[in-house]
């Protein structure tokens, strides 16, 4: 496999992984029909009642022979009232509201629980009032300092006014998703890269506020908007990594220099104290010998008394200052 084929396979794997991630991030289906068992019961009972009425009428009019002749016709004709009666009853879940349009005009909002919708005249549109989530796909944005970045996120919202969410906007999910993408590009485009990386909470609040101001007219409340990923070019990532490494090295060097400075000050103070006290140096020497005596190392230490050192120092000073005067003979 050459390099080009490897790149193609890698791109295909990344694209499939991205598609799978988007598929998992998509919300589940909207309205789930909860009234099927109830409608089945109504259909069966209505069908049996109308079938029995047909057989009863046929039996009264023409006797048993008429009932047997009317049976196939009643069996077929009773399907229509049974179907109509079963379509009247609908069930809305606790988190659903049904917008009823009667002959195309807004009539009322019903739910949750059992509600009655008259076929042909009424149309029921179910709206989920729970907290909903929508994925904001990757948006290519250029920051104020001309740095290209790719940002994606997620928006959390809920429907507060069911009537306006259905009547005012065609598809409130698609509308708020598109408006959130535009607001994200506008807000991030007005900031620098450093602000984008350091003021994430402020950016999220500004985007949510911008979307909230517009979505209130649609009957939608924006709970929050969160940024999931901020992708930058690879060369910019490497430069930022080198910058961070240099900053850490700078702090380490400064810390080491400050430690050396404090150590030098302390050593100078200790030397001054030992110079003022003649026995301090000898005590320090004995303490060092005591510390080395318990060490398992094979180190040999020759201890020289401090008095000898003082004598050698005095002789050296006399030698440097000059020889003593010798009397001359006359």
């Amino acid at each position: 496999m050459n390099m080009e084929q490897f790149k193609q396979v890698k791109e295909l794997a990344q694209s499939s992984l991205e598609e799978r991630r988007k598929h998992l991030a998509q919300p589940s289906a909207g309205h789930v029909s909860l009234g099927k068992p109830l409608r089945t019961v109504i259909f069966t009972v209505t069908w049996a009642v109308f079938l029995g009425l047909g057989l009863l009428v046929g039996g009264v009019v023409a006797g048993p022979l008429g009932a047997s002749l009317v049976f196939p016709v009643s069996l077929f004709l009773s399907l229509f009232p049974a179907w109509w009666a079963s379509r009247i009853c609908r069930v809305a879940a606790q988190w659903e509201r049904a917008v009823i349009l009667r002959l195309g005009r807004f009539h009322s909002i019903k739910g949750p629980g059992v509600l009655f919708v008259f076929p042909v005249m009424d149309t029921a549109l179910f709206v989920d009032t729970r907290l909903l989530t929508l994925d904001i796909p990757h948006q290519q944005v250029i920051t104020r300092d001309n740095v290209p970045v790719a940002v994606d996120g997620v928006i959390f919202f809920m429907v507060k006014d069911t009537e306006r969410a259905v009547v005012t906007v065609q598809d409130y999910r698609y509308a708020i998703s598109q408006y959130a993408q535009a607001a994200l590009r506008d807000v991030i485009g007005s900031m620098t890269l450093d602000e984008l990386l350091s003021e994430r909470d402020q950016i999220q609040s500004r985007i949510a506020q911008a979307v909230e101001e517009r979505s209130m007219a649609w009957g939608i409340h924006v709970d929050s908007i969160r940024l999931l990923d901020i992708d930058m070019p690879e060369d910019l990532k490497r430069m930022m990594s080198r910058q961070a490494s240099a900053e850490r090295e700078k702090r380490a060097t400064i810390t080491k220099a400050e430690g050396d400075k404090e150590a030098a000050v302390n050593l100078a103070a200790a030397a001054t104290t030992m110079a003022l006290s003649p026995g301090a140096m000898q005590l320090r020497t004995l303490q060092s010998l005591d510390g080395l005596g318990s060490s398992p190392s094979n180190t040999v230490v020759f201890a020289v008394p401090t008095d000898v050192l003082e004598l050698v120092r005095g002789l050296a000073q006399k030698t440097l200052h000059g020889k003593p005067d010798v009397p001359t003979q006359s």
Side-chain angles (χ1 to χ4, degrees), residues 169-207:
V169 62
Q170 180 184 9
D171 187 349
Y172 63 88
R173 290 175 181 264
Y174 180 75
I176 196 171
S177 174
Q178 295 298 311
Y179 198 86
Q181 295 178 28
L184 185 145
R185 289 194 294 267
D186 293 341
V187 172
I188 294 180
S190 63
M191 308 186 74
T192 62
L193 180 62
D194 293 336
E195 294 174 345
L196 175 61
L197 298 177
S198 61
E199 300 179 1
R200 199 161 181 166
D201 293 337
Q202 181 182 356
I203 295 173
Q204 294 170 160
S205 300
R206 289 179 57 182
I207 298 173

Side-chain angles (χ1 to χ4, degrees), residues 199-276:
E199 300 179 1
R200 199 161 181 166
D201 293 337
Q202 181 182 356
I203 295 173
Q204 294 170 160
S205 300
R206 289 179 57 182
I207 298 173
Q209 182 179 1
V211 179
E212 173 77 10
E213 291 176 356
R214 188 66 186 90
S215 62
M216 288 179 61
W218 305 336
I220 298 174
H221 166 67
V222 177
D223 183 76
S224 63
I225 293 179
R226 312 300 296 178
L227 300 180
L228 297 180
D229 186 23
I230 300 175
D231 191 13
M232 297 174 293
E234 293 296 331
D235 54 349
L236 183 59
K237 291 181 181 179
R238 289 192 293 269
M239 286 188 291
M240 293 178 64
S241 177
R242 291 198 298 268
Q243 180 183 4
S245 178
E247 289 290 338
R248 295 190 189 95
E249 185 176 356
K250 173 185 174 182
R251 291 196 296 268
T253 304
I254 293 175
T255 303
K256 185 178 181 301
E258 291 177 352
D260 294 341
K261 178 180 177 182
E262 293 179 0
V265 171
N266 293 331
L267 289 175
T272 303
T273 303
M274 291 181 181
L276 295 176

Side-chain angles (χ1 to χ4, degrees), residues 17-47:
L17 182 62
E18 185 69 18
E19 291 295 332
R20 185 173 182 272
R21 187 188 66 84
K22 290 182 179 180
H23 177 71
L24 293 176
Q26 291 178 356
S28 58
H31 172 64
V32 178
S33 180
L34 302 176
K36 287 183 179 180
L38 183 60
R39 290 199 298 270
T40 302
V41 173
I42 295 176
F43 178 84
T44 305
V45 172
T46 307
W47 188 23

Side-chain angles (χ1 to χ4, degrees), residues 3-20:
M3 198 64 180
E4 295 181 357
Q5 292 178 348
F6 177 76
K7 290 182 179 180
Q8 293 177 358
V9 172
K10 183 178 179 181
E11 292 177 357
L12 181 61
Q14 290 178 351
S15 61
S16 61
L17 182 62
E18 185 69 18
E19 291 295 332
R20 185 173 182 272

Side-chain angles (χ1 to χ4, degrees), residues 304-315:
V304 180
T306 55
D307 296 338
V308 177
L309 295 176
E310 293 293 336
L311 179 60
V312 173
R313 184 182 301 171
L315 292 176

